[in-house]
Amino acid sequence: EHVDLLDKAVLELGAGTGLVFTPLSPQGAMATDLPDVCCRYTPQVVALVWGQDVKRDFLSTIYNYNYVLCADVVYHHNFVEDLLITMQYFCKPGTTLLWANKTHWLSLFHLQWVRFQSYLRFIENFKNVFNVTLLKEIPQEEIRIYQATDLKK
């Protein structure tokens, strides 16, 4: 499905290499990542540690986004709870969150595809917080794309 992002306020969480963000930057999209990962040159990205100082650094009266994009941000790490807090903060009424992620990772220890418990817990919590729709599943790539709108009351 085509999503028209022209003239929309767009935020990417965990931009990393900027693959998703770079084509959107001429339209004024903003990307975030950890301070040591942020690009030092145009386009500039903004430092954001999930769950920390979000309310202080991103005043809710100023930062309102039509779309929040997240690509491959949930994997085996200890920051998924902070990510969910950050997603909730930026998703106001009228915001659409699009999240694409691999569902399995190659375990180098066992040489097999595995799902990490952190991913499974995140999915459960994500679905409890947002109204979630699975937009697309690409089984051969182990990828799912979700759309989340409106925080559940």
Side-chain angles (χ1 to χ4, degrees):
E1 182 178 330
H2 175 76
V3 176
D4 184 10
L5 300 177
L6 188 62
D7 297 324
K8 301 290 191 271
V10 179
L11 173 70
E12 182 180 7
L13 298 178
T17 62
L19 185 61
V20 173
F21 167 74
T22 300
L24 299 172
S25 63
Q27 298 176 31
M30 180 185 293
T32 64
D33 211 316
L34 293 170
D36 57 332
V37 178
C38 288
C39 177
R40 308 276 185 248
Y41 308 99
T42 304
Q44 183 66 39
V45 297
V46 177
L48 172 63
V49 179
W50 297 333
Q52 296 182 18
D53 301 323
V54 176
K55 292 180 181 178
R56 184 196 72 200
D57 296 341
F58 295 87
L59 297 175
S60 64
T61 56
I62 297 172
Y63 294 97
N64 292 298
Y65 297 98
N66 301 104
Y67 290 94
V68 175
L69 309 178
C70 304
D72 202 27
V73 293
V74 177
Y75 46 91
H76 186 56
H77 58 64
N78 297 322
F79 308 109
V80 292
E81 291 169 3
D82 293 327
L83 172 61
L84 189 59
I85 290 167
T86 303
M87 288 174 160
Q88 288 175 268
Y89 180 75
F90 284 114
C91 289
K92 310 281 190 274
T95 300
T96 299
L97 186 142
L98 299 172
W99 169 45
N101 218 79
K102 289 192 77 69
T103 58
H104 291 81
W105 295 268
L106 181 62
S107 168
L108 298 178
F109 302 108
H110 300 78
L111 294 176
Q112 64 183 2
W113 291 98
V114 296
R115 281 189 195 200
F116 291 116
Q117 288 301 314
S118 58
Y119 173 79
L120 296 174
R121 277 192 309 275
F122 183 85
I123 284 284
E124 184 178 320
N125 293 336
F126 183 72
K127 289 179 177 179
N128 287 333
V129 169
F130 293 101
N131 293 314
V132 177
T133 303
L134 176 63
L135 291 181
K136 180 86 173 171
E137 187 167 11
I138 308 168
Q140 65 274 22
E141 299 292 329
E142 299 290 342
I143 293 174
R144 288 186 180 158
I145 302 172
Y146 294 95
Q147 174 180 293
T149 56
D150 301 322
L151 295 171
K152 289 185 176 178
K153 303 291 184 214

